[in-house]
Amino acid sequence: MAGEPSAPGGGIAPDMPDHFQVEDASFDHVRRDVMIPMRDGAKLHTVIIIPKGAHGAPILLTRTPYNADHMVAFASSGNMGPMLEGYDNMPDVIADGGYIRVIQDVRGKYGSEGRYVMNRPLRGPLNGSAVDHATDTWDTIEWLVHNLPESNGKVGIIGVSYDGYTAITALFHPHPALKVSVPMNPMVDGWMGDDWFHNGAFREEMLPYIYEQDGTPKNTATWWASQYDSYDVFLRAGSAGAAGRVRGMDQIGFFRQILAHPAYDDWWQQQALDRLLPREGLTVPTLLVHSLWDQEDNYGAIALYHALEKDPAAASRLWLAVGPWNHGGEIREASTLGPVKLRSDTGLYFRRNILEPFLAHYLKDGSVPLPARVTAFRTGDNIWENADALPPRDCASGCTTLHLEPGQGLGAQAPGADAGVARYVSDPDHPVPYVARPIVSKGRPGSNWRDWLATDQRNMAARPDVLSFTSPVLTAPFVVRGQPHMHLTAATTGTDGDFVVKLIDVYPDEVADQPEMGGYQLMISADILRGRYRESFAQPHPIPANVAQAYDMVLPLANHTFLPGHRIMIQIQSSWFPLYDRNPQTYVENIFLAPKEAYRPATVSVDLARSWLEVHGAPVKGH
């Protein structure tokens, strides 16, 4: 029998070499891993993928907290395309387009040095250091253009979600070599309507993300729960603050900041990019990308667009693409939205007809025609439309009013002053779920988080604590564009409360080519308002019990045709759990710290004569 392999001086020789060299001669690309130095001395881990034989190639950069190594290893392949098939990578754009792909771990995450800060504020009142995402991007680009001889010296930055946020921060004091930015589904204002809050209501389902993303550099701490259904997890925990604290989240600086800043105070306002970038001025051509059914960041791109378009100089460098996607859905095959058939691959259309020519024009060849200023997909009709601009956010002109009617009807004519009220009891111990139970949180096996905004709302309509107002069957198309504006007048027996408003397309009772869609209730636009912020987002006020109050809500962007045979519905409720934390309905200084006894049922009375929805659209026509 052969003995163990010997080693000089005795012992056993190791199988594993000190430094394994990948045999990559057959690959269609060259990979370089570098640590790029920043101005403060920290080095950021950067993966560079260069097409073999590249010469004069433009650079596409993404800066991410989501592990650069993982984002260039979606397939074990020697070919660039399959390797990049995954989050934030579009092989048909990047690999087929001959771009040099650069992905960098932001400071403090995965392979990069430094300390991580969630959505690190730009230098200023909230960041007294010498560095931020803008300086890190500048220093990175400066290194790339001097150390990649294969490039043409032109850089574009692109990314989805958090990576869309870093694509926006690159626009502050941008490097001269930065020729284009494409923020896709970006985080822009975390309090007004992106990841953390919507109009003051906290997105409790984001606690696992904060726990894992901000707990350790490499996400090695995993959110734990002893129940399968997240509805049970958060209901038993009590307040959102209690749910975090029992898991040790007081150790996480961002969690402590959320607890300390429940209102839209200076801490939030001074880092809202739609407030900051217009002051900076837009000097780099930018394509904002928005998803109509974005379950995570359906506020930021549109808010930033409206903030920038007011300035002619900024508007000249601004483009917008709007599609029928969930969060990041544009980077993959997108011929369906949940069960809704779109009749074409809308993701492919976006990449081929909007993104590719936009990048090519600024990074390769200025003779390539640019897309329209606004390219938007209209669901229902399932068509692409070009426009010079979005409809305005307000309804000063060109709008139709949909009035709530007695008997839970919906129509174009205002009811009389004696229309009365519609009532429901909101009980925080039995909140309305945001999707049919069991609810499996984002990232867990069996989760339907990605498509929940397109799920059937009939389960909610069947609850006694959800009001549904429905139009007659439409005999002509009804097109809704822009952001619907809800004017709600209601009283509550509590001293605080939330209001959820949903604009819904009710399908015919029978759908010939898709029977399972018979009677389907598809949300077109929906949002929540925390009642204490009805007068001021920065200064909360208790609700006077049993006194009618006005609650005005601007809903997310819609671009949809309600087809003949369909009906229009508006749903109103007071909880959307556990997507948003429960309002105790008894006023407390900080809902994150609300004690159990503060959670009490309340009767809500909606004043029908003084409640309506304004939309950019055509009048309702009934039988």
Side-chain angles (χ1 to χ4, degrees), residues 55-69:
H55 176 72
I59 300 168
L60 270 185
L61 168 66
T62 293
R63 304 188 63 254
T64 183
Y66 299 135
N67 191 353
D69 277 330

Side-chain angles (χ1 to χ4, degrees), residues 3 43 56 92 122 195 200 238 286 295 322 384 394 400 478 490 537 541 551 564 605:
K43 295 183 175 71
D92 53 349
L122 294 164
D195 284 281
T286 297
Q295 75 279 13
V322 176
W384 286 97
D394 59 35
T400 296
F478 183 84
F537 290 130
H541 298 95
Y551 302 93
S605 301

Side-chain angles (χ1 to χ4, degrees), residues 533-579:
Y533 301 114
R534 69 200 178 280
E535 298 173 0
S536 167
F537 290 130
Q539 297 293 331
H541 298 95
I543 298 173
N546 300 306
V547 178
Q549 301 287 296
Y551 302 93
D552 285 348
M553 300 172 59
V554 178
L555 301 183
L557 185 74
N559 199 45
H560 181 74
T561 299
F562 292 82
L563 297 171
H566 291 229
R567 292 176 292 161
I568 303 171
M569 175 183 284
I570 293 174
Q571 283 185 359
I572 299 171
Q573 59 200 57
S574 287
S575 52
W576 222 5
F577 185 76
L579 177 65

Side-chain angles (χ1 to χ4, degrees), residues 334-517:
S335 58
T336 59
L337 175 70
V340 178
K341 295 178 180 178
L342 302 172
R343 311 301 178 185
S344 65
D345 185 347
T346 62
L348 179 62
Y349 182 95
F350 159 74
R351 297 191 302 275
R352 180 175 293 169
N353 297 286
I354 305 170
L355 180 59
E356 285 185 6
F358 183 78
L359 293 174
H361 179 90
Y362 288 107
L363 297 176
K364 296 180 181 179
D365 180 357
S367 68
V368 175
L370 286 164
R373 287 290 173 174
V374 175
T375 310
F377 189 86
R378 176 148 53 91
T379 48
D381 284 326
N382 295 329
I383 58 174
W384 286 97
E385 300 175 305
N386 295 331
D388 294 329
L390 281 181
R393 291 194 75 199
D394 59 35
C395 270
S397 62
C399 285
T400 296
T401 301
L402 304 178
H403 293 272
L404 308 187
E405 298 178 337
Q408 297 193 316
L410 185 69
Q413 300 300 317
D418 59 350
V421 300
R423 293 188 176 91
Y424 61 93
V425 176
S426 172
D427 185 352
D429 287 340
H430 302 281
V432 181
Y434 74 93
V435 69
R437 298 178 64 185
I439 300 170
V440 183
S441 291
K442 172 187 177 183
R444 285 13 183 205
S447 174
N448 61 355
W449 172 255
R450 176 178 289 180
D451 290 320
W452 84 263
L453 276 173
T455 55
D456 196 342
Q457 296 302 295
R458 278 179 290 191
N459 284 320
M460 314 313 155
R463 289 182 57 117
D465 50 358
V466 176
L467 297 178
S468 299
F469 299 88
T470 311
S471 76
V473 174
L474 300 179
T475 59
F478 183 84
V479 178
V480 173
R481 293 185 174 93
Q483 294 185 253
H485 191 172
M486 184 72 198
H487 300 269
L488 177 68
T489 300
T492 175
T493 58
T495 51
D496 200 358
D498 292 344
F499 293 92
V500 177
V501 175
K502 303 182 239 178
L503 175 63
I504 294 171
D505 184 342
V506 181
Y507 279 58
D509 292 337
E510 292 185 296
V511 177
D513 64 343
Q514 201 175 356
E516 68 276 13
M517 293 298 290

Side-chain angles (χ1 to χ4, degrees), residues 53-252:
H55 176 72
I59 300 168
L60 270 185
L61 168 66
T62 293
R63 304 188 63 254
T64 183
Y66 299 135
N67 191 353
D69 277 330
H70 175 69
M71 289 171 61
V72 295
F74 288 106
S76 299
S77 174
N79 294 319
M80 190 172 172
M83 186 182 65
L84 295 178
E85 181 65 55
Y87 182 79
D88 251 9
N89 286 307
M90 294 159 279
D92 53 349
V93 175
I94 299 170
D96 295 351
Y99 290 93
I100 297 173
R101 185 66 170 130
V102 179
I103 303 181
Q104 181 181 76
D105 292 322
V106 299
R107 61 172 60 224
K109 291 300 293 185
Y110 293 94
S112 287
E113 298 173 354
R115 300 297 297 272
Y116 178 71
V117 177
M118 183 76 78
N119 299 122
R120 179 183 293 270
L122 294 164
R123 289 169 296 164
L126 303 180
N127 179 0
S129 76
V131 297
D132 57 19
H133 283 302
T135 65
D136 285 350
T137 306
W138 203 101
D139 295 346
T140 298
I141 294 175
E142 177 72 3
W143 188 96
L144 291 172
V145 297
H146 286 96
N147 290 275
L148 293 182
E150 300 91 344
S151 83
N152 64 1
K154 296 181 180 181
V155 180
I157 189 166
I158 190 169
V160 173
S161 194
Y162 199 119
D163 303 351
Y165 169 81
T166 58
I168 296 172
T169 57
L171 298 170
F172 290 81
H173 308 291
H175 193 284
L178 183 66
K179 302 303 181 182
V180 69
S181 176
V182 184
M184 305 165 72
N185 311 103
M187 305 164 79
V188 170
D189 188 328
W191 195 95
M192 285 301 301
D194 286 325
D195 284 281
W196 319 124
F197 293 80
H198 273 223
N199 298 316
F202 177 64
R203 289 171 69 87
E204 195 164 21
E205 277 275 48
M206 296 306 294
L207 280 178
Y209 173 89
I210 297 169
Y211 181 93
E212 296 179 1
Q213 185 66 22
D214 216 0
T216 62
K218 297 185 178 182
N219 291 38
T220 52
T222 303
W223 173 269
W224 57 266
S226 300
Q227 298 85 31
Y228 177 71
D229 189 343
S230 291
Y231 188 99
D232 291 329
V233 173
F234 291 110
L235 189 63
R236 295 179 189 181
S239 69
R245 284 177 162 175
V246 76
R247 289 165 177 80
M249 291 183 69
D250 276 335
Q251 303 168 74
I252 297 172

